[in-house]
Amino acid sequence: MATKRMNILVYSGNGSTVESVRHCLYSLRRLLSPTYAVITVTGDAIIKEPWTASCALLVFPGGADLGYCRKLNGEGNRRISQYVERGGLYLGFCAGGYYGSKRCEFEVGDKKMEVVGNRELAFFPGTCRGCAFSGFVYHSEAGARATQIRVSKTALTKGSVPDVFRTYYNGGGVFVDAPKYKDKGVEVLADYTEKLDVDAGEGSASVVYCKVGDGAAVLTSPHPEFSAVNFDPDIDVPGFDNVVKALKEDEKQRADFLKACLRKLGLQVNEEQITIPSLSRLHLSSAVVSDTAQLLESLQDIITMQDGEEYIKDENDTFHLEKPSTWSLGSFAKALPGSTKENSEGEEDGDAEDQDKIIDYDKLVKRLVVHDKDQPESKDTPYFNHQAFFANLKHYESQSRETDGTFGKNLLYGEVVTSTNTLLEKNTQILRRLPTGFTATATVQVAGRGRVRHSMSLMPQAPVVFLQYLAALAIVEGIKTYDRGYEHMPVRLKWPNDI
């Protein structure tokens, strides 16, 4: 049975910039989740891991395409090309557009900036030449602008498609002579409307669609994935506030155009952008309540005090320790009239526009409630019944000869978390102090990670996802009860998607 392609992989390696990757994740998650899981992929993973079978779209963000070449020339590009030719999809923004063309010509004649050479992917069979507009400066908004592009409604026919709109531009090129490659499967999706500073040949293509074998690629020179809400208009660059103002005025058109491009590639796109849920409190509890206090005691040497509050600052995350029956002064202040509201799980609601921006989850302080007096009540965790979990665990252990009684006895649960994998694996100070069998679970993961570049995105009110787990467990049980002697076979499930 063929594996369903559900992963949107955004390259995050040599050549990419942090901001470009974040903008990609921000926009694509709002347009494609939960149908697809939008996650990052490294160059090593592209070269070594079996990512192609589950990948619906490979995305290369802005940055510097020479870095992409240094990492992926040879085996990496061979695998990318093979993936697309066999029915895969590629989306390249700005540097990703240069990289997906047969030839890159960037700032020709400028000894410090010039980049010229052929590229291995060659999805666009011609040259991407830039900068389309002069003034580009690496890692700066000095050369940024809100450039206007005209959309081809004959090429983009699905959904609401704007005629023209302004989008963020910073260093992109133009696809030279793009209309001449029509017989090679190239369609111009949008053109620049302004006079360019380089020779564009025939036309002035800013976005192109390229048929590649059984697959396809969309290459852009501007940045339709950059949402105006994520820009700071107060950056100390003359005129940049006007750029942000123009981008905000055309925000809907930008989103509609990006949707149209994704639909052109055959992806299932949300009609409305979804909002990624805020992280909830984490709840630490145990089957035997007194064990939670012992677990907390084992963490004492890494707990620090700040303004009378307890924190654990680990390699990836910082945790603020709370007791279920107490409020900190900070929480009390937030409850006063005129302060920022707090939702049922303890997260700040704040201003809607401020909430719907790029979030660096690693920098957010995670709030950890330590239940050392009693197990969490259902009003604290409405999507997870701790009493039922521990009772059923006890019943299972009484009926099974194959458990040592440690799994699940100590539990970390969150309604909305980044990734249970990340919370444990990347916080090594905590990890090395946890008892055997310590378990982490969640209702929703906003950045879930499985093995070999598989996503693990759980959403509430979608119990069908657990059918996979039940089926896998049933297969194991069927094997072990097939006939006499089979009960001793060492059949185990390590990952939910092993079967």
Side-chain angles (χ1 to χ4, degrees), residues 203-479:
S204 55
S206 58
V207 184
V208 293
Y209 169 90
C210 310
K211 187 72 177 118
V212 184
D214 293 331
V218 167
L219 310 180
T220 85
S221 289
H223 286 278
E225 81 283 16
F226 275 43
S227 173
V229 72
N230 294 311
F231 287 110
D232 180 4
D234 297 324
I235 288 177
D236 189 21
V237 173
F240 188 67
D241 55 338
N242 292 325
V243 171
V244 175
K245 180 181 178 182
L247 295 175
K248 285 184 176 180
E249 290 173 354
D250 286 5
E251 175 64 14
K252 182 181 183 303
Q253 293 91 326
R254 175 204 67 83
D256 286 343
F257 176 75
L258 184 55
K259 288 181 192 177
C261 290
L262 295 171
R263 290 191 178 105
K264 179 74 173 179
L265 289 169
L267 297 171
Q268 186 176 334
V269 183
N270 301 330
E271 289 300 323
E272 300 294 334
Q273 296 188 63
I274 68 166
T275 300
I276 305 301
S278 300
L279 299 184
S280 68
R281 281 189 173 102
L282 299 167
H283 297 268
L284 181 64
S285 61
S286 302
V288 179
V289 174
S290 59
D291 288 351
T292 306
Q294 295 178 18
L295 178 56
L296 184 62
E297 182 64 29
S298 70
L299 301 173
Q300 283 300 317
D301 60 325
I302 58 174
I303 294 177
T304 59
M305 297 293 294
Q306 182 178 332
D307 298 327
E309 301 287 335
E310 292 183 322
Y311 292 85
I312 296 177
K313 297 181 180 180
D314 214 322
E315 291 181 17
N316 193 75
D317 297 293
T318 297
F319 301 88
H320 178 198
L321 275 57
E322 299 179 348
K323 295 294 180 67
S325 59
T326 61
W327 276 20
S328 67
L329 290 176
S331 298
F332 178 74
K334 291 170 186 172
L336 295 175
S339 65
T340 303
K341 291 193 301 179
E342 191 176 86
N343 66 28
S344 62
E345 270 298 323
E347 296 306 309
E348 296 179 17
D349 290 338
D351 182 81
E353 182 175 315
D354 288 339
Q355 287 293 302
D356 194 26
K357 290 185 177 182
I358 291 175
I359 299 172
D360 187 345
Y361 288 110
D362 291 343
K363 293 183 179 179
L364 290 180
V365 175
K366 282 62 176 185
R367 304 175 72 174
L368 177 60
V369 182
V370 181
H371 295 268
D372 56 354
K373 302 297 183 185
D374 206 349
Q375 292 167 355
E377 299 180 14
S378 58
K379 66 181 180 64
D380 297 319
T381 59
Y383 288 100
F384 190 89
N385 188 319
H386 284 75
Q387 287 75 22
F389 170 79
F390 288 124
N392 280 281
L393 183 65
K394 182 178 180 180
H395 174 73
Y396 169 76
E397 290 171 348
S398 69
Q399 302 295 314
S400 175
R401 298 178 180 178
E402 299 183 358
T403 175
D404 60 6
T406 59
F407 171 79
K409 287 297 185 69
N410 296 286
L411 182 70
L412 179 68
Y413 168 77
E415 183 176 317
V416 182
V417 306
T418 50
S419 162
T420 53
N421 190 322
T422 299
L423 286 172
L424 296 183
E425 182 184 58
K426 291 193 175 182
N427 293 299
T428 56
Q429 291 190 71
I430 294 176
L431 182 61
R432 68 171 65 103
R433 291 168 173 81
L434 295 177
T436 300
F438 185 91
T439 303
T441 188
T443 301
V444 177
Q445 296 187 114
V446 297
R449 298 191 303 121
R451 64 172 182 169
V452 292
R453 208 48 54 185
H454 291 303
S455 66
M456 296 289 292
S457 295
L458 303 180
M459 299 301 291
Q461 299 175 336
V464 69
V465 75
F466 291 103
L467 291 178
Q468 176 192 8
Y469 308 161
L470 294 175
L473 290 170
I475 290 173
V476 172
E477 186 69 15
I479 293 172

